[in-house]
């Protein structure tokens, strides 16, 4: 009797033998259009200001921000998400710079939109934390608690001024109950049905936000545990998703990305709109710090983390490496 095969009969390693073969059978591929570049613009500076806890990232001037937007466009990145850093003296309890047409974020939106037109998606962070003197994402009541419904009124105003300033997409990140519905109504009331909403649907109260606080000059006192999600919980993410979709979200996001790949996968499975994930400041800084020490291969670690995020279900990824990686992929 002829004997066919030998032990082991199945050898998956055959499909890993050469770079060309591994490339051919890869199930997940990164593309420049997957990426969105988060960028900070600071009021009143004449030169970009390095962020010490985020090596390679800066608080831009208006001019350097326009240059960064053009570079992202040329690399094939899909969008740029803008965060404004106002003068400290202009912050107040209700975040007035966030609704001032001449606030730094609105000025920057006009600058970038004039520079790139419709070729790059111009996106805006819609939150009060950068503009309040207490650093919270909403208005405080007389007991120092974040007042959900009073905050929604401010978000409605912010959405309208950001749309007027040129935002293609607004990104409500404050985790207030009902924020998507209120913002959708506010935009529709001024005839801006064309402006999309990228909902920060799942945003955990994470230790990995640390470097971001420096990046936006945060004035935060205390923490955000009463409105951002508890890292111990998963089911409530799907509840948040259902609410945001019902209220009119065009896209949804999970933030942070790396520590919450399980949540990202669940949201992607349940969502019928595009899903994004934000590789946040702490995720970025850990890799940069370890690479600087020589402990890991920087470029390989960056690609591995981004591939993992996409494999888990993210169609788009906000990452501070967006332009660099997009260039290398082309």
């Amino acid at each position: 009797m002829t004997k066919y095969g030998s032990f082991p009969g199945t050898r998956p390693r055959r499909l890993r033998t050469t770079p060309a073969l591994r490339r051919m059978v890869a199930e997940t591929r990164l593309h420049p259009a997957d990426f969105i570049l988060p960028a900070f613009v600071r009021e009143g500076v004449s030169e970009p200001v390095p962020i010490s806890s985020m090596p390679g990232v800066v608080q831009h001037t208006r001019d350097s921000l326009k240059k960064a937007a053009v570079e992202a466009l040329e690399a094939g990145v899909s969008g740029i998400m803008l965060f404004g850093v106002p003068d400290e003296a202009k912050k107040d309890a209700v975040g007035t710079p966030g609704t001032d047409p001449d606030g730094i974020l609105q000025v920057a939106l006009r600058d970038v939109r004039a520079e790139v037109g419709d070729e790059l998606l111009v996106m805006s962070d819609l939150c009060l934390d950068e503009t309040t003197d207490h650093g919270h994402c909403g208005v405080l009541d007389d007991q120092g608690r974040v007042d959900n419904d009073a905050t929604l009124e401010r978000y409605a105003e912010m959405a309208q001024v950001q749309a007027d300033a040129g935002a293609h997409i607004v990104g409500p990140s404050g985790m207030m109950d009902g924020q998507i519905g209120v913002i959708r109504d506010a935009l529709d009331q001024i005839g801006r049905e064309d402006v999309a909403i990228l909902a920060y649907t799942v945003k955990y109260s994470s230790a990995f936000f640390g470097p971001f606080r420096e990046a936006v000059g945060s004035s935060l006192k205390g923490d955000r545990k009463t409105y951002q999600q508890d890292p111990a919980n998963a089911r409530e993410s799907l509840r948040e998703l259902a609410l945001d979709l019902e209220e009119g979200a065009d896209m949804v996001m999970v933030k942070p990305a790396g520590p919450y790949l399980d949540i990202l996968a669940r949201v992607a499975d349940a969502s019928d709109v595009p899903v994004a994930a934000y590789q946040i400041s702490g995720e970025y800084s850990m890799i940069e710090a370890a690479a600087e020490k020589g402990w890991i291969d920087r470029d390989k670690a960056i690609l591995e983390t981004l591939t993992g995020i996409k494999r888990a279900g993210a169609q788009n990824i906000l990452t501070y490496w967006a332009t660099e990686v997009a260039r290398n992929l082309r």
Side-chain angles (χ1 to χ4, degrees), residues 41 47 109 146 162 206 233 263:
V41 56
E47 298 290 337
L109 286 167
V146 174
Q162 290 179 1
S206 172
N233 295 342
I263 305 300

Side-chain angles (χ1 to χ4, degrees), residues 112-132:
V112 174
R113 185 66 187 273
E115 193 75 17
V116 300
D118 292 332
E119 293 185 74
L120 181 72
L121 290 170
V122 180
M123 310 165 79
S124 56
D125 178 60
L126 200 165
C127 195
L128 290 171
D129 59 319
E130 295 100 344
T131 60
T132 54

Side-chain angles (χ1 to χ4, degrees), residues 225-254:
K225 294 182 184 295
T226 63
Y227 46 101
Q228 293 179 351
Q229 289 178 235
D230 185 339
N233 295 342
R235 284 194 300 269
E236 65 180 343
S237 296
L238 297 183
R239 187 182 186 197
E240 294 279 4
L241 173 65
L243 291 167
D244 282 355
L245 293 177
E246 181 182 350
E247 292 173 26
D250 299 287
M251 297 172 280
V252 296
M253 189 197 299
V254 174

